[in-house]
Structure formats: C-alpha cells, structure tokens
Amino acid sequence: MIYPIGIQDFEKIRKDGFVYVDKTALIYNLSHGSGKCISLSRPRRFGKSYCAAMINAYYGFGYDAKDCFADKEIAKIDPTLKNLGAFDIIYIDFAGLVLNIKLRSEE
C-alpha cells in the first residue's frame, strides 16, 4: 500500500495506484445541493486541495478523466457522467504559489 503523502493531484493518485478513498459522491452532492455558495472549510491537512483537484478533474474541460471516474461512486449516482469535462475551470494552486515565494525569498 502506497499512501499519497503530499500528493494532491487527483489523476496522479488514481493512475499511479496510491491508496484512495472514494469521495466522488461529494461532487454530485455539491452540484445538486440547495446552496448557491459552497464553502470547503476543514482543518489543516484535511483534503481541501485534494477535493478541489478532484472537482477540477471532473468538471474541467481538457481532462481525459473518464477512466478515473468510471468505476467510482459518482458513476453509480450519475451513470452518464454528463458534466465530465464540460466546463472551463480556473484552478489556482496556492500551495505551489507559497512555495515559489519562499524559494525566491531565499535567493
């Protein structure tokens, strides 16, 4: 068993065989809920970036992620996967931004 410590890329975790807990039903629940605003407030190191990467991989135009989601919970809830790759997504990884700022300040 290989744990994805420090890896937040959904597609990499799925394709490289890391230990994975299926939370794809969350995508359906978020998009079909009654709220207009979604807040992912969780404690530190609790999967917020991973959740955002999973949502990006599902909805993001240009991803070929059908094989990542075909056998997951969301495919059981919505077998057509009609929103898979259907939207342009702006995805900003602030963790990488902070790392770049720290590296530049050390120079």
Side-chain angles (χ1 to χ4, degrees), residues 10-77:
F10 177 75
E11 288 185 280
K12 180 172 180 56
I13 289 172
R14 290 291 301 130
K15 290 180 179 177
D16 291 351
F18 288 98
V19 173
Y20 168 75
V21 176
D22 186 8
K23 294 184 179 183
T24 57
L26 176 67
I27 296 171
Y28 186 85
N29 294 339
L30 288 173
S31 63
H32 289 80
S34 60
K36 292 183 179 181
C37 182
I38 299 168
S39 173
L40 295 173
S41 56
R42 292 180 163 180
R44 242 181 111 216
R45 310 290 304 158
F46 239 78
K48 294 180 294 294
S49 295
Y50 172 74
C51 181
M54 178 179 64
I55 291 169
N56 183 39
Y58 183 77
Y59 286 116
F61 179 74
Y63 282 95
D64 186 21
K66 189 165 187 147
D67 56 332
C68 286
F69 292 98
D71 61 340
K72 299 296 157 237
E73 193 64 31
I74 193 160
K76 295 174 188 170
I77 297 169

Side-chain angles (χ1 to χ4, degrees), residues 82-98:
K82 65 181 177 182
N83 290 317
L84 187 67
F87 300 97
D88 289 324
I89 304 291
I90 298 172
Y91 180 76
I92 302 170
D93 182 5
F94 287 103
L97 178 69
V98 171

